[in-house]
Amino acid sequence: PLQVLRIDALNKVNADIIDLQALKDNRLIPSLTREVKLIATGKLEKSVSVRGIKLSKGAEALIKAAGGRVEA
């Protein structure tokens, strides 16, 4: 099942590149999760690189506006 996560949850992640494993390591998603989609709810307070995670258009815009990168 698809796990939906608010963009402001990324503020809690202690990793340079945020991927599925980083979200699991920071206990933001269950360990059995295979698919995540970030939605543009809340504020992103740091520049992050996101890899292999689905994004809403708004979430992608917030990541880029904060100086971050989105990788496939």
Side-chain angles (χ1 to χ4, degrees):
L2 179 68
Q3 180 82 24
V4 177
L5 197 61
R6 294 167 44 124
I7 192 95
D8 58 4
L10 299 185
N11 295 321
K12 302 173 187 170
V13 177
N14 187 17
D16 295 330
I17 296 175
I18 297 176
D19 58 9
L20 209 55
Q21 191 58 50
L23 295 176
K24 290 176 183 179
D25 292 346
N26 285 272
R27 298 180 181 208
L28 294 174
I29 59 173
S31 61
L32 297 176
T33 302
R34 294 176 184 240
E35 206 173 17
V36 173
K37 181 172 184 176
L38 289 172
I39 59 171
T41 304
K43 283 188 171 183
L44 184 60
E45 298 170 356
K46 63 181 183 176
S47 173
V48 295
S49 291
V50 176
R51 180 183 297 156
I53 296 174
K54 294 182 178 186
L55 306 166
S56 68
K57 288 182 181 179
E60 185 173 350
L62 287 174
I63 290 167
K64 290 180 177 178
R69 292 192 341 229
V70 176
E71 302 172 19

